[in-house]
């Protein structure tokens, strides 16, 4: 265990070095003194110095170069954060329509749509390791290719997921976990268990296309509750929205949700879980990007504060290891039998071979190192894309601070319609996600989402430069 005094020493050293970076004493590209020299200068032990350096590396301020040492990382150009989307009227219940067509049109294009679709570069995934483990699993148990699992999913995978739950501040049992076809099926099963057609479901706004489409498909109404693009949904905002509306459930995400990438405070999460529990309103939590944090530690989900068993936790496992895996899970608690029946009546369970492959990957000791590499790669991508936006977009552009995930949420001056920007960008074969995709009112028509899941190649930066030029032209026309 680290003593309080040791903790204070390495944090003090980290704060001192961070201050030098922010003041410009240490500039991007500068090499830091060696560990031995830092020990001498700060009268600290090697363990204290190394801990401080790795803390700054996790925070994105330093980068370690093999056999060379630590260097100051190129910093994000500080753009203004987006303003909270103003609402002149209180949140209203909105009937869903048109998002099926929007979703189909948006996803019709090929996999090379680097800025538009919310996807991660396949090169960041451990495909070769997964392939080896899949071949081994098929050889050891050929029946994995010939059967399906109607008992909640692969036992080994559910045990691995339950074991990792302590890292989230939770304590799940394997039999509480249901393996699904990705996060969309997990959320759909929750809604089928908890709601009936015509019920009202509260969601944070903006929210991702797949959820809006799902609510439409299930015949549900939506209550859109505005969330801050940096700090996420606030308890008082949710309380005001629910004061005059009878909702059957809430579907919320607290850690880097699509499209904004916001991050709620721990206290806000705690208050919302307690508020909903007092009113007996179940919370369906989507935590697809919680593992993709850029800081020192993983932010807890809503589920970590659930005392009453009213939070149903959903996650897309494929985002972490390979989007082609098509695996997710739901932590069902006391609803387990209802979930199994809902899955049995709606679809066949995911491939047993893919489930066993993921279980073996997690058990092999390769999963956590892979996640660390993935987080670092995505953090680098986000920095590079933000810098490109800062360089090529008009100065009035606001970009939400990204503390995790791989998406950028941009806000342009009110009156500029990103649907028109998209129309012009398509003439250059450039796609992005305009703000009106993520809501059913007009609050986000001046916003857009860019994917930063790929490395910033010269071709991608050229597309960002073109988008910036088209945006400047639209602004000039509006003036």
């Amino acid at each position: 265990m680290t003593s309080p005094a040791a903790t204070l020493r390495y944090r003090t050293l980290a704060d001192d070095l961070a201050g030098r970076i922010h003041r410009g004493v240490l500039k991007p590209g500068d090499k830091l003194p060696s560990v031995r020299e830092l020990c001498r200068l700060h009268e600290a032990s090697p363990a204290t110095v190394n801990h401080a350096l790795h803390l700054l590396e996790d925070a994105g301020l330093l980068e370690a170069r093999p056999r060379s040492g630590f260097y100051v990382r190129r910093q994000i150009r500080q753009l203004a954060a987006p303003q909270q989307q103003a609402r002149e009227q209180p949140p209203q219940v909105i009937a869903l329509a048109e998002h099926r067509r929007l979703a189909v049109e948006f996803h019709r294009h090929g996999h090379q749509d680097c800025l538009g679709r919310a996807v991660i570069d396949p090169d960041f995934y451990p495909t070769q390791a997964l392939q080896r483990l899949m071949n081994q699993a098929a050889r050891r148990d050929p029946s994995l290719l010939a059967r399906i699992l109607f008992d909640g999913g692969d036992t080994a995978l559910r045990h691995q997921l339950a074991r990792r739950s302590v890292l989230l501040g939770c304590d799940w049992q394997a039999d509480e976990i249901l393996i699904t076809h990705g996060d969309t099926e997990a959320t759909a099963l929750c809604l089928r268990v908890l709601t009936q057609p015509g019920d009202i479901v509260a969601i944070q706004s903006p929210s991702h296309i797949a959820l809006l489409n799902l609510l439409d498909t299930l015949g549900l109404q939506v209550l859109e509750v505005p969330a801050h693009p940096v700090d996420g949904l606030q308890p008082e905002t949710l309380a005001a929205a629910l004061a005059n509306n009878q909702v059957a459930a809430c579907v919320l995400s607290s850690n880097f949700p699509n499209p904004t990438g916001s991050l709620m405070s721990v206290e806000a999460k705690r208050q919302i879980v307690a508020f909903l529990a007092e009113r007996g309103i179940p919370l369906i939590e989507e935590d697809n990007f919680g593992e993709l944090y850029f800081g020192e530690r993983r932010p807890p989900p809503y589920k970590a504060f659930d005392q009453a068993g009213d939070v149903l936790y959903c996650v897309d496992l494929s985002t972490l290891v390979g989007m082609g895996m098509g695996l997710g899970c739901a932590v069902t608690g006391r609803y387990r039998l209802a979930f199994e029946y809902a899955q049995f009546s709606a679809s066949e369970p995911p491939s047993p071979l893919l489930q066993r492959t993921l279980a073996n990957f997690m058990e092999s000791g390769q999963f956590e190192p892979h996640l660390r590499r993935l987080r670092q790669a995505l953090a680098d991508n986000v920095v590079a894309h933000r810098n490109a936006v800062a360089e090529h977009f008009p100065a009035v552009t606001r970009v939400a601070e990204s503390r995790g995930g791989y998406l950028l949420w941009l806000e342009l001056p009110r009156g500029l319609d990103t649907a028109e920007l998209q129309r012009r960008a398509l003439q250059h074969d450039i796609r992005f996600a305009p703000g009106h995709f993520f809501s059913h009112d007009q609050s986000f028509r001046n916003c857009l989402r860019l994917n930063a899941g790929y490395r910033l190649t010269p071709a991608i930066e050229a597309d960002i430069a073109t988008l910036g030029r088209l945006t400047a032209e639209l602004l000039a026309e509006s003036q």
Side-chain angles (χ1 to χ4, degrees), residues 1 20 42 64 75 121 127 133 173 199 242 256 259 266 270 342 351 380 440-441 469:
M1 297 290 291
R20 292 169 183 251
H42 295 273
Q75 297 301 303
D121 189 336
T127 52
L133 291 170
Q173 302 301 311
D199 282 349
L242 299 186
F256 325 120
V266 169
R270 193 192 315 273
S351 161
D380 291 343
H440 288 278
D441 60 18
R469 176 176 58 80

Side-chain angles (χ1 to χ4, degrees), residues 6 118 124 145 158 197 213 237 248-249 275 330 346 354 370 442 455-456 472:
F124 295 152
L145 297 168
R158 288 186 285 132
N213 185 34
T237 308
F275 169 79
L354 292 176
H370 158 67
Q442 303 301 307
R455 293 184 180 89
L456 185 70

Side-chain angles (χ1 to χ4, degrees), residues 205-365:
S205 183
S207 193
H208 60 94
I209 303 171
L211 176 59
L212 295 169
N213 185 34
L214 175 62
L215 294 167
D216 185 15
T217 301
L218 295 177
L220 297 166
Q221 297 186 79
V222 62
L223 175 65
E224 294 189 304
V225 184
H228 193 278
V230 175
D231 299 322
L233 183 63
Q234 298 304 299
E236 58 273 17
T237 308
L238 181 62
L242 299 186
N244 299 311
N245 294 286
Q246 188 68 34
V247 303
C250 297
V251 182
L252 306 175
S253 178
S254 61
N255 299 324
F256 325 120
N258 181 359
T260 61
S262 60
L263 177 62
M264 290 176 57
S265 70
V266 169
E267 185 56 32
K269 297 174 188 178
R270 193 192 315 273
Q271 290 180 23
I272 284 179
V273 171
F275 169 79
L276 293 177
E278 289 174 2
R279 287 153 182 78
I281 300 173
L283 168 57
I284 302 169
E285 177 174 16
E286 296 184 326
D287 194 33
N288 297 328
F289 304 129
E291 293 286 354
L292 304 180
Y293 57 94
F294 299 160
E296 182 180 359
R297 59 180 62 88
R298 189 201 198 283
Y302 285 119
K303 184 65 176 175
F305 308 104
D306 180 25
Q307 301 296 321
D310 290 328
V311 178
L312 299 180
Y313 180 85
C314 303
V315 66
D316 184 27
L317 302 171
S318 300
T319 299
L320 304 179
V321 293
M323 293 185 171
M325 296 281 282
L327 294 176
C329 76
V331 181
T332 60
R334 64 177 182 270
Y335 299 97
R336 170 62 186 272
L337 292 179
F339 269 78
E340 286 191 17
Y341 176 76
Q343 187 180 53
F344 175 79
S345 61
S347 65
E348 292 184 351
S351 161
L353 179 58
L354 292 176
Q355 294 185 56
R356 183 65 56 81
T357 299
L358 179 54
N360 292 344
F361 182 65
M362 295 178 71
E363 187 178 8
S364 70

